[in-house]
Amino acid sequence: MRKIDEGKKNRIKQAVFEIARDEGIAGLSFGKLAKRAGVSSGTPYVYYQDKTDMLGKIYLDVKTLVDEGLQADIDQGKTPEERLFNAVNHFAKQLVAHQLEANYLAAIEDNPQLVTATVLQAGNQLAAPLKVAFEAAAATGRLKTTNPETVMALLFGPFTMVLRQRFAIDQPVLASELETVIQFSMQGLLKNR
């Protein structure tokens, strides 16, 4: 068995992020990846069985990074609505802090067939505190809709669109800008008192 070299593994992961940004993820090959990472063409096989395995494991690594601290951020809210806002804002802050990884997550979300259903389910489990925050907010009767897909589209769609547009033209985005977008989204989602 070949020895695991964490430096090479990290270069491979970084190369995946860069290729996803520069060329898109669908056309990624181990040969292209090895060249970008500066490793031999067989090196990715030391760490991953195949492209699906690699993309899935990297997806879960990124989800773990992005979801880290989610519950602590949620717990800062006093009301269910604040807790839901904090959950969504947590992701905005994490995606701003990790833009290459954010682009990679978006690439997988746009091409879910590139990873297994098991990987996608495991990724969703990492964000379970978001589901709990949504359910608590829905139980208050203050949301205009309690359809989970609609709520997530209303809360995540606008700020991720801003993030993707800025990322595409290589312009910075501030977490405070996304927080404002999320505040407007929350206002639109809540019933008038």
Side-chain angles (χ1 to χ4, degrees):
M1 182 173 189
R2 295 175 75 173
K3 184 179 177 187
I4 301 296
D5 180 333
E6 289 299 323
K8 285 182 181 178
K9 187 175 181 181
N10 288 334
R11 287 200 320 259
I12 290 167
K13 189 185 293 188
Q14 185 67 25
V16 168
F17 297 149
E18 291 171 4
I19 291 170
R21 175 196 63 206
D22 297 343
E23 303 172 34
I25 202 165
L28 185 142
S29 68
F30 271 20
K32 193 182 293 186
L33 178 60
K35 184 175 181 180
R36 174 78 65 114
V39 297
S40 71
S41 60
T43 301
Y45 290 101
V46 172
Y47 309 104
Y48 307 105
Q49 295 173 356
D50 55 26
K51 181 178 168 180
T52 301
D53 178 56
M54 177 187 67
L55 295 177
K57 285 179 178 171
I58 293 173
Y59 173 77
L60 290 175
D61 287 348
V62 172
K63 283 287 291 169
T64 299
L65 173 71
V66 169
D67 293 349
E68 185 178 341
L70 173 59
Q71 188 64 59
D73 281 351
I74 291 171
D75 290 343
Q76 298 294 316
K78 293 178 178 66
T79 67
E81 295 87 355
E82 286 177 1
R83 293 169 65 82
L84 180 58
F85 171 85
N86 288 352
V88 177
N89 197 47
H90 166 86
F91 289 108
K93 291 185 296 187
Q94 289 292 83
L95 296 178
V96 167
H98 306 285
Q99 289 188 15
L100 270 178
E101 292 86 346
N103 183 69
Y104 178 77
L105 285 179
I108 294 296
E109 289 167 5
D110 291 343
N111 299 280
Q113 73 282 1
L114 294 176
V115 297
T116 66
T118 303
V119 164
L120 294 173
Q121 289 169 344
N124 288 336
Q125 279 301 111
L126 291 170
L130 170 63
K131 181 180 178 190
V132 172
F134 159 70
E135 289 169 350
T140 67
R142 293 226 36 239
L143 302 183
K144 290 178 181 174
T145 179
T146 56
N147 179 292
E149 287 93 13
T150 302
V151 171
M152 293 307 144
L154 290 170
L155 294 179
F156 282 85
F159 90 79
T160 57
M161 186 177 96
V162 171
L163 190 63
R164 284 184 183 194
Q165 287 175 339
R166 294 280 185 87
F167 193 78
I169 58 174
D170 200 27
Q171 286 192 349
V173 61
L174 301 175
S176 60
E177 293 176 288
L178 299 183
E179 183 174 335
T180 299
V181 172
I182 297 165
Q183 287 171 345
F184 287 136
S185 296
M186 278 297 296
Q187 289 169 9
L189 182 60
L190 295 175
K191 294 177 184 175
N192 294 331
R193 287 186 178 217

